[in-house]
Amino acid sequence: MTGFAHGLVIGKFYPPHAGHEHLVRIAAAGARRVTVVVMSSAADSIPLAERVRWMRAIHADGGNVHVTGLPCDIPFDLGDRTVWAAQVAGMRAAVQQVTSEPLDAVFTSEEYGDELAARLGATHVCVDPQRVAVPVSATACRADLAGLWDRLHPVVRAGLAVRIVVVGAESTGTTTLSRALAEHYRARGGVWARTGWVHEHGRDYTVTKWDEQIAAARAAGRAAPGMDELVWTADDFAVIATRQTELEDAAAAAGSPVLVCDTDAFATSVWERRYLGADTGAAAASPLPRRDVYLLTDHVDVPFVQDGIRDGEHIRVDMTGWFVTALTRAGHSWVLLTGTREERLRLAVRVTDLALERRARFTGPHTPHDGKVLA
């Protein structure tokens, strides 16, 4: 501990990576209080609020680290004193939103750190300027997101992973298609071998619920209930939706740049309608992570296969329509998959590849005449 009272760390954190984490942790060890200012321009394709949330989550264990955000469309020009004045004024204002405690240290890995600290009346602490301790940069991450995937904190990976959700009525091939799609990307090898596949938690919940009601019936001397006699409540669907999202987020944090889900919390709200007659809103109340695209498996030309717990053959046509209506009304991007298994998988891969291309394209930041940008 060097005895600084209040240290500052600034950056775009676009995206946050292991080098940023190292810088903030060094600052947290060297100052009693650290303010991290995330600066974002209107051109950036990752919202400021998202980066602030990530940085707060990454450093949640550091009680002395406080993260705030600053929309900043000021040019970055080390040779212009008016630009310097504007930048410093914005930084001061951002810090003052968090605390009135004066700064006495600025932690950076940049050449401009000396002048920035001087303009703030603080001491510059230069941390790993040659990127030796943690050889990574935001520029490199933006240029090769998949190649540097493991240089990102799990929180950031979960936020950046392309999430493909496969939904559909009973026995329309959602599980078969979603598994095949995940295996397609795992076959790429490398980081892609970790491509996650999230199973349908509602199925596990249904089996457990049925077993419990069978046991209760037998204990009371009654006949065991059939699957179509299960009693469902809004609370059941709320629990299923919450757990489904938990499984999804955990898989996104541990996996590759793409995650494939066999249903999600949104689809659970459609199943809630199927069993309760009308959407009570219980499942829909579960916060939904960012979605890239939904793949809806059509029921047409897909035979119904009884697996022991299915009871919806008579309602498959209606459910496909419910999914179309719900997805469209909610404003989600969705693609109807028709044809043979091979044709469905081929289109699913094309849609996923396009989503991955979009995710790997970062707009901005503006590069000034001297070629330097905030990290």
Side-chain angles (χ1 to χ4, degrees):
M1 198 74 168
T2 61
F4 290 111
H6 184 194
L8 172 68
V9 176
I10 63 155
K12 291 181 71 68
F13 306 101
Y14 185 48
H17 54 67
H20 293 136
E21 186 175 351
H22 175 69
L23 174 62
V24 174
R25 295 203 183 282
I26 292 294
R32 179 174 51 80
R33 180 188 184 96
V34 175
T35 299
V36 177
V37 178
V38 182
M39 304 175 73
S40 175
S41 76
D44 297 344
S45 52
I46 302 177
L48 173 61
E50 190 80 344
R51 280 177 272 169
V52 169
R53 184 180 67 80
W54 291 342
M55 290 296 289
R56 286 175 178 166
I58 292 168
H59 298 285
D61 60 341
N64 63 333
V65 175
H66 306 271
V67 182
T68 189
L70 176 66
C72 182
D73 289 289
I74 305 165
F76 188 74
D77 186 346
L78 299 178
D80 189 320
R81 64 181 183 84
T82 62
V83 170
W84 266 110
Q87 290 274 9
V88 170
M91 294 174 194
R92 285 189 184 279
V95 172
Q96 288 168 3
Q97 291 296 309
V98 178
T99 179
S100 59
E101 186 173 352
L103 293 165
D104 61 350
V106 175
F107 294 80
T108 84
S109 301
E110 310 295 341
E111 295 177 1
Y112 59 73
D114 286 340
E115 185 165 357
L116 175 60
R119 288 176 178 271
L120 288 168
T123 299
H124 179 217
V125 180
C126 191
V127 180
D128 191 27
Q130 302 303 318
R131 310 303 199 272
V132 174
V134 187
V136 66
S137 70
T139 301
C141 289
R142 292 193 295 269
D144 185 10
L145 185 62
L148 292 172
W149 191 247
D150 284 330
R151 289 293 186 173
L152 306 178
H153 190 278
V155 167
V156 180
R157 294 201 297 264
L160 289 178
V162 166
R163 301 193 188 203
I164 306 297
V165 185
V166 183
V167 297
E170 274 189 325
S171 192
T172 57
T174 59
T175 300
T176 299
L177 186 282
S178 59
R179 278 179 168 163
L181 186 60
E183 287 298 335
H184 171 85
Y185 288 97
R186 288 172 184 165
R188 288 185 175 184
V191 69
W192 299 96
R194 301 206 312 264
T195 295
W197 175 77
V198 184
H199 74 281
E200 180 185 1
H201 176 64
R203 183 179 179 84
D204 297 341
Y205 190 94
T206 299
V207 171
T208 299
K209 183 180 181 70
W210 194 17
D211 287 343
E212 290 173 351
Q213 293 192 11
I214 289 174
R218 287 174 175 168
R222 301 191 306 269
M227 176 59 65
D228 59 352
E229 298 176 284
L230 286 185
V231 178
W232 292 94
T233 68
D235 286 345
D236 288 323
F237 292 97
V239 170
I240 291 170
T242 298
R243 182 55 180 158
Q244 190 72 51
T245 298
E246 289 173 349
L247 293 170
E248 179 184 326
D249 285 339
S256 80
V258 65
L259 175 69
V260 183
C261 304
D262 181 10
T263 202
D264 73 342
F266 181 84
T268 301
S269 68
V270 178
W271 287 99
E272 184 177 2
R273 174 181 177 179
R274 181 256 185 270
Y275 283 104
L276 298 186
D279 187 358
T280 65
S286 178
L288 196 66
R290 174 187 56 76
R291 261 76 193 93
D292 288 276
V293 66
Y294 283 87
L295 302 177
L296 173 58
T297 52
D298 197 4
H299 63 276
V300 176
D301 295 328
V302 180
F304 185 86
V305 177
Q306 179 55 258
D307 64 356
I309 68 170
R310 288 174 175 158
D311 64 350
E313 182 175 8
H314 65 291
I315 205 170
R316 286 203 306 169
V317 175
D318 289 338
M319 283 208 69
T320 299
W322 293 346
F323 273 114
V324 168
T325 300
L327 289 167
T328 304
R329 184 177 295 158
H332 292 301
S333 173
W334 61 276
V335 177
L336 181 68
L337 300 182
T338 62
T340 66
R341 285 186 181 182
E342 293 73 18
E343 289 172 325
R344 293 179 181 218
L345 178 59
R346 185 161 59 247
L347 180 54
V349 169
R350 291 179 66 183
V351 170
T352 304
D353 282 347
L354 287 173
L356 284 165
E357 288 177 17
R358 289 193 299 271
R359 177 69 280 173
R361 286 199 301 265
F362 292 84
T363 58
H366 170 68
T367 303
H369 68 271
D370 62 4
K372 295 180 182 296
V373 294
L374 284 175

